Every structure is written in structure tokens, then in C-alpha cells.
Amino acid sequence: MNAVTNDWRAIAKEKRDSISASIPHEWRIPGVPSAQEQRDVTGKFIQQYLNEKEREITETDAVGISKKTKTGQWKAIDVARAFCHRAAIAHQLVSCLHETFFDAAVKDAQKLDDYYATHKKPIGPLHGVPISLKDQFHVKDVETSMGYVGWIGTFEGKKGTNKERVFESEMVRELRNLGAILYCKTSVPHTLMAGETVNNIIEYTWNPKNRNLSSGGSSGGEGALISLRGSPLGFGTDIGGSIRIPAAFNGIFGLRPSAGRLPYEGMANSMDGQNSVLSVVGPLATSIGGLRLATKAILSQQPWLHDPLVHELPWRDEQEKEILNLVNSVGDGHKLAFGLLKHDGLVTPHPPVRRALDIAVGTLKRLGHEVVEWKPPIPREQINELIIKIWNFDGSHDVLGAFGLSGEQPAKQLVLPSSPSPQANASDIAATNVRKRGVQKEYMDYWNSTKELTSTGRPIDAILAPLAPFAAARPTLYTYLGYSIWINLFDYTSVVVPVTNADKSVDKVDVGYQPINEVDKKTYECCK
């Protein structure tokens, strides 16, 4: 083992140990049980480490918290301490944090309480609401490693920028203005390009429901933390499923907005400048109300005045009322129509995923809504190939450069090649963008044509589809991304809604199943 290898391993361990050391002694768990001893650490298991008041606070969703803190029923400092405590426990159980700044959070919470005591009103709609952040957000006095050993002690891998631990991302500024309490940053896979959360610093972020499985990626730390109620609301990013995968794997709600809806300005990223398929930022939460609260609050800050890529598009109350009217007046000739994608033609979803779709379809029909089959004309192979080509425009130059800063080894779960490949030239990129636009137009035309299939006289209102072929991936076995990445190519707004949990007494393996292809075979074998 050479000196460089020794160095990066030592630096990674030092950083890993510093995260653990940041947890107050009174919050440390003596003898953390192994996954074999305690597979599921959600619910009553994690609750045992909290007092009654902490349990009450942390089991409340973001909407409920905001109602209490904005009216003075709960003090922001008590809420902050409760979530800092629960987040600290969560990290010890599933390794979900990159950074903690609990002391700063408590000080900020005290300022909120002082403001309320003086003015008898909250600072904003997120007054006293704790919010966790994926480790792409820059926060003053806090490091951003994004999972890279070579980024430790730097600003995005560079030294002497005068931005280290000083610069803040635009959304961080807006969240502070809204009264949010920021207290931790969550784990990511280095490069951000993986359906699992793994790096050489925190190693692996486990699924709280089953610590033999993945929490997803790349916002896997957010998914795990929120699942354990160590956060009521957090923000992640998504370029291929990175908000939605952790939301689905961890049984929480996640919103992937379309590009230009929420401010990404000033956040760290991989392959920054690749604009054909943009990464977007969006919320994850324990309730659908939490997603609404976060999105509406951020839009109230007029982010288009501070991020040139954000569209000038406030929260649209009229459109919200229109949809609610359709939902609430079913039976009077009004209803919603959904397209249903059960299989993408390449990989068969596992039994619990199919059962969840059946539950959703049955519920919608029982409520009076309509479901039609979604059969787009473009083969899924073409869509998958196109977005992967876009991800590889720079031939892994950006991420390999980040690895090269320390000499660390890339995780084998990464989607991008771990060795350099030829970079696309301007003509290649232009031709790919033209092709992408043509595919988008073909999909748009098909969507509009579904008005011939529905009884509403309108095209379908939304698509129901699996987010992944499995309920949660086994480590190193995220075999297929096709169920999530098509959303990014078409830049559709997408929401993950938890439906059910896998149940081995109900979800039986398909005996005698004949796989369609090699990827389908590998995916099927993961179910055994």
C-alpha cells in the first residue's frame, strides 16, 4: 500500500471520526446493535432513546411543527434540540450525516424565540422548522465534501478561494429568511451518480427499515434521516432519480420539480455546466403537506430575482384550486385521469412494487377516477441510451479529477465510468440535443393524444409508474435505473408517494419467470 493510499484513507477516517465526535456524549448510543441483531431501527426502536417531549416533537410533520412554532405553542429551541438529538441517533444507526452544526442551530433557534417574544409574530412560514440539507449546499462555517476525500478542507476541491466555510448557497439564504433552522448536512455517494449512498468518508448509508438494504441515492442521507424522523423536511437534488429513489426506498414523500422551478444557484455539483439534462433541487418530507409547505415558502422569496435559471413563476393558487375541485367533485362528472405504466418493456418490477401499483390503481378507481394504459411509442432502450450518453459528455473528466485530488478509489456502484473516455465535441452535443428535443416532442404528442382514451375530454392528468424495479436495492445490486431516468430526460415534475411495505408473506417470487434480457435476469435474481 503506497503513501498516497495511506494518506486518503487516513484523511477519510479522520473526517468520519470527526462526525462521530461532533455528537454530544449524552446522545451517544452504547453498543450500537448490528443489522443482524436489529434490522429495523425505525419507530419504537429509535424512540427509546428520546424522552416523551422529544418523541412528540419529532413525530410531528413539518406542517404541524410550523403551526406550533408560529403561534408560540412550541419554542424553536426545544424543537431544534429534539431534532438534533434524533438526527445524532439516526447517524449512529445508519451513517447518514456528513456534517452537524447543532450548536449553531440552537443559537439560531434562540434568536427566533427572542424575535417571537419581542414581536409576537413569526419571522416567516418556516419559523422554527428544522430542515436538513444534502451535502451539496454550502453553509457558513460548515464544510462541503460532497463525499470526496479530496474536497475536505477546500471549496469544491480548490484552496485559497476565500469561499471556504464562508460562502452560502442561494437557497440557504432564503431558508434562513423564512425562519428555518438548519442543523445538519446529509450523506451522498461521491460523484452523486449512484442509486446507493456510498463514499470513502461515511462508507455506506443503510436503509433504516432494513439495514441490509440501501437507503437509495444520491440523496440517500436525506431519505434515511427523514425516515427515522431525524428531520421533518429536507432538500435533495435529482438528475436521474436522486430525490425519488431515496423517498421510495425509505417510505417518505419526495418532489422532483421541473428544471428552473427552485433555486440551485451556488450549490456544489458534479459535471457542472452539463445543461442538456439539468440536476434539480427539491424537498423530501414525512408528509405531502411538508412538500407543499417547503415549495410554497421558497417561491415566496421570489428566487428568480437571485438565480438566473429560475422561472418567474409564483405559487399558483388558481391551478391548485382547479385540481382540488376535480378531486372533491368526483361523481358530478368531474374526475382525474391517469396513465398507468406497469412495465417498461425491459425490466419486470418485483412483486411488492407491482402490488403497490395495484393498490394505487384500485384506490383511484374506487374514488371515481379513471386509469388508462400508458403505451408511449418510443422504445425505452432509446431513452436510456440517450440520457446515459448525455451524462458521459465529458468522459468522466470532472469526477475523475475530483478523485485524483486525493487518489481515492471510486465506489463500484457509480453510474459513470471509473476510467476516462473520449469527451463529446460541440457537434456531438448539438446533435444529441436535437435528438433529445425530437424525443421530447414525440412524447408530448403522445401525451396530448391520450384525450382520445379518456372520458374526461382531456389528456391524462398524470402518470402512475414504478420508481425502481425493487422496493429497495441490495448493496452493489442497483441493477436498473430505467424507471427513474426517463423523468429527467423529459423534465417532468414527479412526486413519490409511499403506498405500502414489502411483505414476504404476500410478495412471492415469480417461480419459473423467464427474463427478457440479462439486466432483467439480474434484477429478478435480486428478489430471491
Side-chain angles (χ1 to χ4, degrees):
M1 188 177 290
N2 60 37
V4 172
T5 302
N6 276 323
D7 285 346
W8 75 254
R9 292 185 189 277
I11 294 168
K13 184 180 184 302
E14 182 180 7
K15 179 65 176 180
R16 180 165 60 252
D17 291 345
S18 74
I19 300 168
S20 298
S22 72
I23 296 172
H25 285 279
E26 62 271 23
W27 291 352
R28 296 180 189 177
I29 302 173
V32 177
S34 67
Q36 289 68 39
E37 294 170 318
Q38 184 66 42
R39 186 175 64 178
D40 183 352
V41 292
T42 62
K44 290 183 179 180
F45 184 83
I46 191 171
Q47 289 172 7
Q48 69 180 300
Y49 300 105
L50 306 168
N51 63 41
E52 185 177 351
K53 186 61 177 178
E54 288 174 325
R55 287 195 293 271
E56 180 189 4
I57 290 171
T58 55
E59 294 289 330
T60 304
D61 79 338
V63 176
I65 292 168
S66 68
K67 289 178 180 177
K68 296 282 191 178
T69 52
K70 288 193 299 183
T71 56
Q73 296 177 68
W74 283 353
K75 289 189 177 297
I77 196 166
D78 293 333
V79 174
R81 284 176 174 152
F83 276 100
C84 288
H85 187 188
R86 192 152 180 165
I89 297 168
H91 177 69
Q92 294 171 78
L93 296 173
V94 296
S95 194
C96 57
L97 301 182
H98 276 185
E99 303 289 338
T100 67
F101 35 107
F102 298 152
D103 289 344
V106 170
K107 289 178 182 177
D108 289 342
Q110 184 61 62
K111 291 176 183 176
L112 292 173
D113 287 336
D114 293 343
Y115 181 92
Y116 189 89
T118 300
H119 301 281
K120 306 303 179 188
K121 65 177 183 179
I123 281 181
L126 298 179
H127 182 100
V129 177
I131 292 182
S132 50
L133 300 171
K134 185 178 184 177
D135 192 23
Q136 289 179 255
F137 288 85
H138 290 294
V139 178
K140 186 180 179 181
D141 297 324
V142 181
E143 192 160 66
T144 302
S145 73
M146 215 170 74
Y148 288 123
V149 176
W151 278 26
I152 296 171
T154 74
F155 181 82
E156 299 183 9
K158 300 179 180 66
K159 294 184 177 180
T161 65
N162 295 321
K163 291 184 176 181
E164 295 91 334
R165 296 176 180 261
V166 175
F167 179 80
E168 290 203 319
S169 304
E170 170 58 26
M171 189 180 283
V172 170
R173 183 190 69 81
E174 294 178 4
L175 289 170
R176 292 193 191 280
N177 288 346
L178 291 161
I181 299 171
L182 309 179
Y183 63 114
C184 65
K185 293 206 293 177
T186 53
S187 55
V188 302
H190 48 207
T191 76
L192 308 176
M193 302 299 291
E196 304 170 56
T197 293
V198 55
N199 63 57
N200 292 313
I201 299 171
I202 53 90
E203 297 179 331
Y204 200 90
T205 301
W206 298 98
N207 190 305
K209 196 72 177 174
N210 183 340
R211 291 192 296 161
N212 296 307
L213 301 177
S214 170
S215 65
S218 62
S219 309
E222 282 298 317
L225 180 67
I226 296 171
S227 174
L228 283 168
R229 302 304 188 260
S231 169
L233 172 64
F235 280 92
T237 62
D238 193 314
I239 194 174
S242 292
I243 289 171
R244 294 162 290 141
I245 293 166
F249 283 12
N250 294 285
I252 62 175
F253 296 84
L255 168 63
R256 182 239 178 242
S258 294
R261 195 66 175 115
L262 298 177
Y264 211 113
E265 175 66 24
M267 291 173 61
N269 202 3
S270 287
M271 305 174 296
D272 197 14
Q274 181 281 105
N275 291 338
S276 297
V277 173
L278 286 170
S279 177
V280 301
V281 60
L284 301 91
T286 58
S287 69
I288 200 75
L291 302 183
R292 181 183 184 276
L293 174 69
T295 305
K296 191 171 184 178
I298 290 292
L299 293 177
S300 74
Q301 294 292 290
Q302 298 182 297
W304 48 87
L305 298 178
H306 308 283
D307 183 338
L309 296 185
V310 174
H311 304 305
E312 187 174 349
L313 196 63
W315 183 269
R316 295 173 290 178
D317 290 305
E318 287 304 314
Q319 283 79 358
E320 183 182 17
K321 290 176 183 176
E322 183 181 338
I323 294 297
L324 290 175
N325 285 338
L326 284 173
V327 171
N328 294 330
S329 60
V330 170
D332 297 328
H334 296 84
K335 58 183 174 181
L336 296 174
F338 295 85
L340 174 63
L341 174 67
K342 298 186 73 170
H343 194 298
D344 73 349
L346 292 179
V347 172
T348 301
H350 286 181
V353 178
R354 301 201 304 267
R355 180 167 60 86
L357 272 180
D358 289 342
I359 291 171
V361 169
T363 301
L364 288 170
K365 288 183 175 179
R366 188 169 66 253
L367 293 173
H369 301 294
E370 185 175 4
V371 179
V372 300
E373 189 175 3
W374 176 259
K375 297 176 65 176
I378 304 171
R380 185 54 64 90
E381 299 98 319
Q382 293 183 24
I383 295 171
N384 296 347
E385 181 271 330
L386 185 55
I387 192 168
I388 291 170
K389 182 176 182 179
I390 289 168
W391 287 346
N392 284 285
F393 273 161
D394 81 336
S396 293
H397 175 82
D398 175 69
V399 300
L400 292 178
F403 286 128
L405 294 171
S406 67
E408 66 175 311
Q409 293 296 310
K412 61 183 178 182
Q413 290 97 326
L414 304 182
V415 174
L416 299 175
S418 57
S419 57
S421 58
Q423 297 190 36
N425 60 35
S427 296
D428 295 331
I429 294 171
T432 302
N433 286 337
V434 170
R435 183 181 166 202
K436 184 193 77 165
R437 189 173 68 232
V439 170
Q440 288 175 319
K441 177 65 166 86
E442 194 170 351
Y443 236 69
M444 176 185 285
D445 289 344
Y446 172 71
W447 189 309
N448 288 331
S449 74
T450 60
K451 67 181 179 181
E452 306 299 329
L453 303 176
T454 70
S455 62
T456 64
R458 309 185 311 272
I460 60 167
D461 298 291
I463 303 168
L464 296 174
L467 188 278
F470 17 68
R474 299 175 187 267
T476 74
L477 292 175
Y478 202 116
T479 53
Y480 184 64
L481 286 164
Y483 280 105
S484 62
I485 61 178
W486 67 282
I487 292 291
N488 301 84
L489 187 73
F490 298 113
D491 196 23
Y492 291 153
T493 297
S494 181
V495 179
V496 164
V497 177
V499 175
T500 188
N501 291 317
D503 183 345
K504 65 181 180 181
S505 68
V506 177
D507 303 310
K508 303 297 184 181
V509 174
D510 298 315
V511 179
Y513 176 73
Q514 296 299 314
I516 301 169
N517 51 56
E518 189 60 30
V519 175
D520 190 38
K521 181 174 182 290
K522 290 179 181 178
T523 305
Y524 167 70
E525 290 172 349
C526 292
C527 192
K528 295 180 180 179

